[in-house]
Amino acid sequence: MPVLDLIKVDQHKCVKCGLCIADCPACLLVMGENGPECDADRGCMSCGHCVAICPTGAMDNKYTPREEMIPVPKSVLSEQDAYDFLRSRRSVRLFKPQAPKKEDILKLLDICRYAPTAGNSQGMYFTVVSDREMLNRIRKATADWMAEEVEKGTENKRYFKAVLHTFNEKKVDIIERQAPMLVFVSTRRLNVSGISNSEQCLAYAELFAPVIGLGTTIAGFIQACAISGYKPLVDLLGIPPKQKLVGCMMVGYPRVKYKLMPERQHLKCEFKD
């Protein structure tokens, strides 16, 4: 029996092209006598593709209603514009002292909702820290974690030892870069794809940031400490027991502008035809 309340098909508009069926990642749809049908909705990923791909506007889905969608804009970046935009993005490590406005951060994080996640699992939680005393404590906790890793003789021993020398002896904040704000990402502890989901979300944020006047870079040392589950950092941030930290990004208003686009290593690609 078809599950009648998952999808609704306007039979007057449906031309039975089968695009919704072919594009359903959960393979829930089949072609019936009167158009697409679904016999189980528990596997629906709520991706909205069945509705978004319909060429005649015949399809609707209770989890992703057509009325909540907006049309794809007609204006599209040219190949060169897209290339230049992506290549011109820089990781910002020199920030103005003031923390970004909350409205700017909400804009930045809102775009993360549309980043791809495994199985459309979504479920990203953001913790925004701008209190300077707390930022200092986060930096210290990360340094303590690295010192413990050196003491244990882990595979990162030599690297962390060099970082700590720069941080402690040269008095250079190589850990937090005196960023006025850190954004932490957490997800459900049972989410096995949490780290990769976070990477996708933060990539969206980093690409969007320059458009709204923000600079970002991944806080690599703090993020590594967070992902390790280092208890002093987890407790400091007040992360719930059922969640785990999966990402961290520095955010602020850039103090500098870049005039050139640096070159990178040559493309390494092999085709197995």
Side-chain angles (χ1 to χ4, degrees):
M1 284 288 295
V3 179
L4 300 179
D5 66 339
L6 174 63
I7 62 171
K8 292 182 180 179
V9 181
D10 187 332
Q11 296 179 15
H12 297 293
K13 294 182 179 179
C14 181
V15 294
K16 298 183 181 180
C17 64
L19 287 175
C20 56
I21 297 170
D23 202 48
C24 175
C27 304
L28 296 179
L29 304 181
V30 296
M31 186 60 72
E33 182 179 347
N34 297 316
E37 296 177 351
C38 176
D39 57 8
D41 69 345
R42 294 189 64 181
C44 179
M45 291 163 46
S46 305
C47 67
H49 281 201
C50 59
V51 181
I53 202 172
C54 182
T56 62
M59 174 67 74
D60 211 345
N61 184 306
K62 70 176 182 180
Y63 296 132
T64 55
R66 171 175 290 276
E67 65 181 12
E68 296 180 1
M69 298 186 180
I70 59 176
V72 174
K74 293 181 179 180
S75 59
V76 179
L77 288 175
S78 69
E79 178 181 340
Q80 189 62 50
D81 286 342
Y83 180 89
D84 290 342
F85 172 74
L86 292 170
R87 186 175 170 182
S88 64
R89 195 213 72 84
R90 301 263 67 82
S91 293
V92 176
R93 298 178 180 86
L94 295 173
F95 300 96
K96 294 179 180 179
Q98 69 268 32
K101 298 176 182 177
K102 287 186 177 180
E103 52 263 38
D104 288 339
I105 295 302
L106 290 175
K107 287 180 184 178
L108 183 71
L109 298 182
D110 186 65
I111 198 64
C112 295
R113 298 189 298 119
Y114 301 101
T117 53
N120 196 36
S121 53
Q122 303 178 68
M124 297 287 102
Y125 303 88
F126 299 97
T127 301
V128 182
V129 182
S130 58
D131 177 77
R132 177 38 63 186
E133 177 58 30
M134 190 170 185
L135 290 171
N136 292 340
R137 292 168 66 187
I138 290 170
R139 185 175 62 240
K140 182 180 183 302
T142 302
D144 291 344
W145 169 74
M146 286 194 286
E148 291 180 18
E149 292 291 292
V150 171
E151 186 68 23
K152 292 176 184 176
T154 62
E155 60 183 8
N156 291 317
K157 175 183 176 179
R158 291 182 62 185
Y159 181 41
F160 285 173
K161 193 173 182 179
V163 172
L164 289 172
H165 174 76
T166 300
F167 181 69
N168 293 321
E169 305 303 325
K170 294 185 177 181
K171 306 300 181 183
V172 176
D173 182 9
I174 196 173
I175 295 175
E176 190 246 335
R177 304 283 179 173
Q178 289 294 301
M181 180 175 286
L182 292 174
V183 174
F184 287 87
V185 188
S186 57
T187 189
R188 294 182 298 276
R189 185 164 292 279
L190 296 178
N191 188 339
V192 296
S193 60
I195 293 176
S196 61
N197 290 348
S198 170
E199 289 171 344
Q200 298 270 32
C201 289
L202 293 183
Y204 265 47
E206 289 206 287
L207 290 172
F208 189 62
V211 180
I212 56 175
L214 294 174
T216 61
T217 193
I218 298 301
F221 300 122
I222 300 174
Q223 176 171 275
C225 177
I227 291 174
S228 76
Y230 188 57
K231 192 173 186 304
L233 179 59
V234 173
D235 291 345
L236 178 59
L237 293 169
I239 302 302
K242 292 186 178 181
Q243 292 183 21
K244 60 183 177 181
L245 289 163
V246 289
C248 182
M249 178 177 67
M250 304 178 200
V251 187
Y253 296 118
R255 185 154 52 93
V256 296
K257 290 184 178 181
Y258 297 90
K259 307 298 183 183
L260 298 173
M261 298 188 291
E263 189 54 85
R264 293 292 184 252
Q265 294 180 5
H266 69 274
L267 175 65
K268 303 173 183 66
C269 178
E270 181 179 356
F271 291 94
K272 299 289 188 179
D273 295 331

